[in-house]
Amino acid sequence: MITPELLTKEAFAPFGEVLEATPDTAIEINSGFTTRFHQLAAVDADRAAISVFSGRRRPMEISMLECHPYGSQAFYPLGGGPWLAVVAAKPKPEACRAFMCGANQGLQYSRGTWHHPLLILEDTQDFLVIERLDPESNLEEVFFDEPVQMSV
Amino acid sequence: MITPELLTKEAFAPFGEVLEATPDTAIEINSGFTTRFHQLAAVDADRAAISVFSGRRRPMEISMLECHPYGSQAFYPLGGGPWLAVVAAKPKPEACRAFMCGANQGLQYSRGTWHHPLLILEDTQDFLVIERLDPESNLEEVFFDEPVQMSV
């Protein structure tokens, strides 16, 4: 059973970056009409592309993990409430950790970070995704013998 | 006086890409639990970074334009309603064109596209921004003698 932890920059650091507009990243630009929350993450890819992912609610169990060996992958929610991220230091059921992400928190999985595909808590939720161009050739998957349940 | 046009891929093509989840870009992934609106734009930068811009409403007049000669710059609204983009084929008042962007439309300015900084229609609106790393060294600005008014 996996119990979600609160998403913080420190807790998520082994797996990637939290994308969050916090005061320490704020710079005033555009004659004072815009606050830039500056460079929350650098994209790690030889070539990056922007997509939209529209997620649907699915059973709260983890039966596989995937990783992208050739580039980072970032998710930022386009409206909606909290959502979930599951990551692991190795692709094993016992290594899985879940993070509860806020409505104003995105995250970027580092190149090679094992993670579960999109997990949302509402019926549908959309995300902007920034990742390496041509993701088809940038995917590894590991399937578990038994799914791990999540307590949400 | 500039009158905003409707934002469409065709109309905006000389200036960059519209980021919009349209059916022609849809691919089902994640065992059918996610629709991927695939590669709405490729990022044009040797190295990219992700920031959040929090805009505030400003006077609806155009007194300058800027461009980023070394990389593309993409904006996607994080909630809120329609917003405005002003672009120009050359940095002259008479060349300015305005586009009314929907709540579910982002856009990417191509490398070198002249544009006005963030223009919103509500008191505040946030955007995810994907652009070249280190934007400080990637900015040209041209100031007009007289501001151009916008009819919104």
Side-chain angles (χ1 to χ4, degrees):
Chain A
M1 182 75 82
I2 309 171
T3 303
E5 311 165 43
L6 197 68
L7 182 69
T8 65
K9 291 187 185 203
E10 295 69 26
F12 196 71
F15 308 106
E17 291 95 7
V18 176
L19 307 177
E20 187 176 5
T22 49
D24 57 307
T25 60
I27 303 171
E28 294 303 307
I29 60 170
N30 297 348
S31 309
F33 289 108
T34 301
T35 303
R36 165 194 277 274
F37 296 94
H38 186 55
Q39 285 181 191
L40 306 179
V43 178
D44 177 23
D46 50 355
R47 197 71 202 282
I50 303 168
S51 297
V52 168
F53 280 21
S54 184
R56 287 180 283 283
R57 190 173 166 86
R58 59 189 296 171
M60 283 292 145
E61 55 181 37
I62 306 304
S63 57
M64 60 83 70
L65 294 170
E66 65 179 40
C67 83
H68 309 298
Y70 304 121
S72 56
Q73 188 183 39
F75 289 83
Y76 200 99
L78 301 173
W83 56 289
L84 279 170
V86 170
V87 291
K90 54 186 179 180
K92 300 278 187 188
E94 65 272 17
C96 287
R97 291 173 65 184
F99 289 95
M100 183 68 75
C101 312
N104 294 313
Q105 285 182 318
L107 52 76
Q108 178 169 274
Y109 299 121
S110 297
R111 179 191 298 241
T113 291
W114 290 100
H115 63 277
H116 192 270
L118 195 53
L119 281 172
I120 62 169
L121 298 167
E122 297 166 71
D123 287 344
T124 64
Q125 192 172 18
D126 292 346
F127 293 79
L128 203 67
V129 175
I130 302 101
E131 65 193 336
R132 182 172 174 269
L133 202 74
D134 298 327
E136 299 81 359
S137 58
N138 184 24
L139 176 65
E140 292 180 16
E141 295 175 311
V142 169
F143 293 87
F144 297 166
D145 293 333
E146 297 283 340
V148 189
Q149 302 300 315
M150 194 145 50
S151 64
V152 268
Chain B
M1 181 76 82
I2 309 172
T3 302
E5 310 164 44
L6 197 67
L7 182 68
T8 66
K9 291 188 186 202
E10 294 69 26
F12 196 70
F15 308 107
E17 291 95 7
V18 176
L19 307 176
E20 186 176 8
T22 50
D24 58 305
T25 60
I27 303 171
E28 292 305 304
I29 60 169
N30 297 347
S31 309
F33 289 109
T34 302
T35 303
R36 166 195 276 274
F37 297 94
H38 185 55
Q39 286 182 189
L40 306 179
V43 177
D44 176 24
D46 50 354
R47 196 74 201 283
I50 303 169
S51 297
V52 168
F53 280 21
S54 185
R56 286 179 284 283
R57 190 174 164 85
R58 59 189 297 174
M60 283 294 145
E61 55 181 36
I62 306 304
S63 57
M64 59 82 71
L65 294 171
E66 65 179 40
C67 84
H68 309 296
Y70 304 121
S72 55
Q73 187 184 38
F75 289 82
Y76 200 98
L78 302 172
W83 57 289
L84 279 170
V86 170
V87 291
K90 56 186 178 178
K92 300 278 185 185
E94 65 273 19
C96 288
R97 290 174 62 184
F99 288 95
M100 182 69 74
C101 312
N104 295 313
Q105 285 181 319
L107 53 75
Q108 178 170 273
Y109 299 121
S110 297
R111 179 192 297 242
T113 291
W114 290 100
H115 62 277
H116 191 269
L118 195 53
L119 281 173
I120 62 168
L121 297 168
E122 297 167 69
D123 287 344
T124 65
Q125 192 173 17
D126 292 348
F127 293 78
L128 203 66
V129 175
I130 303 101
E131 64 192 338
R132 183 171 175 268
L133 202 75
D134 298 327
E136 299 82 358
S137 58
N138 184 24
L139 176 64
E140 293 180 18
E141 294 174 312
V142 169
F143 294 86
F144 297 166
D145 292 333
E146 297 283 339
V148 188
Q149 302 301 315
M150 195 143 51
S151 64
V152 267

